[in-house]
Amino acid sequence: MEENTSFIPLSDPDITFAELSAVETLLCSPQISNGRTTEAFEHAFAAYLGRKYAVAVSSGTIGLLLTLRALGIGPGHEVIASPYSFRETVHAISLAGARAVFADIDYWSGALVPAKAEERITANTRAIVAGNPNGHPAPWSELRAVAQRHQLLLLEDSTEAIGSSYKGELVGRFGDTAVFDFAQPVALTCGEGAMVVTEDIDIALGLRRHRAHRVDERSSVVVGSTAPYQAGMSDLTAALGLAQLKRLDEILERRRFVEQLYNAHMQSFEGIKPPYVGPDVTEVNWLLYLVHLGTRFTRSGRDAIIEDLRGAQIESAAYSQPLHLQRHYFDFGYRRCDFLVAEKIADRALALPFHTHLTNKQIEFIVETMNDASINVGAGAAIY
């Protein structure tokens, strides 16, 4: 096959004249910081999900941090979470002063296993944070049952999963709060920023108090009792987000077409299966196109494939560097082999370019290059 000479990035935002026009209009206005456009984005995002309140913040990690602050979760408390993700949103647990207590994941979906989460509950546990890894919804019915049995808060990390649905409902509707992220490679991309949604007005007010003070609030005795993080979203970011939200269905449809092209090319190699979709999952909109290499591969073998792809001008990535193996959590006593499923998947997960600008020819080139590289390092190891 003729070699591709142009660089193929892991992600590439779907930006059109609508986004450019929205940003230009705002740049010509007298206010580009926290103002009416951010509020409009909040209202539109809440309406999209069918939730009462949405609070725009600077990142997914900050969104979860402010949520924990608003809920009074901090030193002396424990929060159960998954160590497996592309987004490292759960760092917020440590930033809030609480202890992240990890539980292992499902081999196929990558989501937190409810029974394993339940085993980790102690008298100090206050909440469960469950993600929708790479866009695949977690088993929310079972997680809610666990949370209710133990009177815990259920917090949803949807930073990787906008547009996916579980039992006919959009992700972002299952937690007491849910946080979305808008940085690449998410389908709705503002360059930065995030949104926290909830039905609880007290949580929403708490989020806003911890986020920032408006100019007209600074003399308020009630609001002034909280030292804010100054973690708001600019109107410039919100203008981009609003334009992307209006086009979200179109963007997701185009990404699903790219997924179909990938699946078609992947089928030509024996042992490779399309991405797994769980039985209660209505729809998955993937964050990245994720390939799970066979057990003959090692982590170093996967990394060698990434290097080979880079040599062919194709950007790829290890989907997860498990949190419990990062130095910060090493200091909490976590070690390799603590969560065997998460480690097994993370060592062999390979994220390929996934965005709306990919052509059929480029995808064919990516898949053939990956296959050649995998033969070089894994002697034709099976997928899954």
Side-chain angles (χ1 to χ4, degrees):
M1 174 180 228
E2 183 181 341
E3 186 172 340
N4 182 40
T5 55
S6 60
F7 178 70
I8 304 175
L10 188 66
S11 71
D12 186 8
D14 190 319
I15 302 297
T16 66
F17 178 77
E19 286 84 358
L20 296 174
S21 177
V23 171
E24 181 182 20
T25 299
L26 189 77
L27 285 172
C28 295
S29 74
Q31 185 171 11
I32 60 173
S33 293
N34 309 66
R36 289 190 297 273
T37 308
T38 300
E39 290 181 4
F41 187 27
E42 290 175 333
H43 291 312
F45 200 84
Y48 161 70
L49 285 174
R51 300 207 72 165
K52 286 185 180 179
Y53 307 103
V55 180
V57 293
S58 55
S59 74
T61 300
I62 289 294
L64 182 56
L65 173 60
L66 300 191
T67 297
L68 296 172
R69 290 288 192 214
L71 295 170
I73 296 174
H77 299 149
E78 295 176 353
V79 178
I80 295 170
S82 165
Y84 178 76
S85 177
F86 191 78
R87 290 262 180 269
E88 298 186 337
T89 309
V90 300
H91 283 326
I93 298 168
S94 292
L95 293 173
R99 180 183 176 87
V101 175
F102 296 120
D104 216 342
I105 61 172
D106 178 73
Y107 179 79
W108 295 102
S109 70
L112 191 65
V113 175
K116 292 181 180 179
E118 191 163 24
E119 290 172 1
R120 307 284 283 161
I121 294 171
T122 71
N124 295 323
T125 307
R126 294 294 180 271
I128 298 171
V129 175
N132 299 303
N134 197 42
H136 191 288
W140 290 109
S141 297
E142 291 90 341
L143 287 165
R144 174 56 71 186
V146 171
Q148 287 178 337
R149 271 197 298 276
H150 298 273
Q151 296 182 309
L152 301 176
L153 292 155
L154 182 60
L155 310 179
E156 184 177 349
D157 177 359
S158 278
T159 53
E160 302 181 6
I162 192 164
S164 294
S165 56
Y166 171 81
K167 293 186 176 180
E169 285 201 67
L170 286 170
V171 296
R173 294 176 53 84
F174 301 103
D176 296 297
T177 68
V179 59
F180 290 82
D181 195 283
F182 304 132
Q184 283 181 256
V186 176
L188 193 165
T189 304
C190 307
E192 61 179 355
M195 194 77 75
V196 184
V197 294
T198 184
E199 301 299 296
D200 190 321
I201 190 171
D202 291 328
I203 294 175
L205 290 172
L207 284 164
R208 291 187 176 119
R209 276 201 309 275
H210 287 287
R211 176 183 63 181
H213 294 165
R214 295 198 305 264
V215 174
D216 60 352
E217 292 176 333
R218 290 179 180 175
S219 61
S220 165
V221 174
V222 176
V223 174
S225 65
T226 302
Y229 284 83
Q230 294 304 116
M233 178 184 288
S234 75
D235 273 6
L236 200 57
T237 301
L240 190 52
L242 262 175
Q244 287 261 287
L245 183 59
K246 290 174 183 174
R247 295 185 52 245
L248 183 58
D249 288 344
E250 171 197 337
I251 293 170
L252 292 176
E253 184 177 349
R254 290 165 69 172
R255 286 168 70 97
R256 285 192 293 271
F257 177 68
V258 170
E259 178 199 350
Q260 290 167 10
L261 292 176
Y262 259 119
N263 290 347
H265 288 295
M266 285 289 184
Q267 291 300 328
S268 64
F269 302 120
E270 185 178 354
I272 296 180
K273 299 179 182 179
Y276 172 80
V277 178
D280 290 324
V281 173
T282 316
E283 187 174 328
V284 180
N285 286 291
W286 305 107
L287 177 74
L288 295 162
Y289 193 87
L290 203 59
V291 174
H292 292 278
L293 301 172
T295 53
R296 292 184 193 177
F297 287 92
T298 61
R299 179 178 177 181
S300 61
R302 186 270 317 277
D303 293 344
I305 294 173
I306 292 173
E307 286 300 316
D308 282 358
L309 289 167
R310 183 179 292 122
Q313 295 292 295
I314 300 165
E315 185 180 15
S316 59
Y319 168 76
S320 174
Q321 301 293 344
L323 292 179
H324 70 286
L325 300 181
Q326 296 182 24
R327 180 54 197 259
H328 174 71
Y329 300 98
F330 188 86
D331 292 342
F332 282 93
Y334 289 109
R335 297 291 184 273
R336 181 165 281 278
C337 298
D338 282 351
F339 306 103
L340 292 173
V341 179
E343 292 170 31
K344 181 177 182 180
I345 296 176
D347 283 351
R348 297 170 179 84
L350 174 65
L352 297 177
F354 190 59
H355 52 81
T356 61
H357 299 132
L358 288 169
T359 65
N360 184 54
K361 187 175 181 180
Q362 284 178 316
I363 293 169
E364 183 180 11
F365 176 69
I366 291 166
V367 174
E368 289 201 7
T369 304
M370 184 207 70
N371 185 61
D372 291 344
S374 69
I375 291 171
N376 290 339
V377 302
I383 301 300
Y384 294 97

